[in-house]
Amino acid sequence: LLKQGKLEPAGLLLRTYLAEYPNDPDFLYYLGNIYFDLKSWNRSYLYFLSLRNVLLDRDRGSRILPIVAKYLGELNYKLDHSEKSTQYYEEYLESSPNDTEIRYKLAQIYFTLEDFFKAKKHLAYIRQINPREIDASHMLGEMYFLYSRVFAPNFFAVLEAEKKIPRDGVVLFLHRYLRGDTE
């Protein structure tokens, strides 16, 4: 059924037999994925959380535990549980520290939670491993402008030297403001 793309019948079939195999990681993983694809976030969260608990009880060194943490981070993000989302994303990043997409998303969440120290830490790490990353540089520039006017001119000078000041947009106007351009 999964290979045919029939997600709902596959999910129903797996749920029917889940009572006979309640701690089977494969059942829970497939159910979590099926309901994630069907955008049934609460059900998917239930199955991935159950899978996490089964894996933690059996084998804390499981290779799929970080993947489950990533799914749980994504599901909490979709369900507007930002603080819980950061917990699972941080757990995922312990095993995949160079995943810049998740690190950037985590920085955005910390920014909305007003935890600027952690947001800057993740953005600086992204800039360190991928110096060409423009979005992280721009977000970091905006954060310096908003919350650290003392360091903002120095950071914007670095962005200018790296040729990361765009031709239009917020970052350009912040840069011009910091230079004292009144136009």
Side-chain angles (χ1 to χ4, degrees), residues 70-83:
K70 182 179 178 182
Y71 272 111
L72 288 170
E74 187 68 27
L75 289 164
N76 276 294
Y77 181 74
K78 290 179 182 302
L79 294 169
D80 287 331
H81 300 126
S82 299
E83 290 182 11

Side-chain angles (χ1 to χ4, degrees), residues 168-183:
D168 59 356
V170 174
V171 174
L172 172 68
F173 290 117
L174 295 177
H175 176 61
R176 291 169 84 185
Y177 174 80
L178 289 170
R179 285 192 333 206
D181 189 350
T182 58
E183 182 181 334

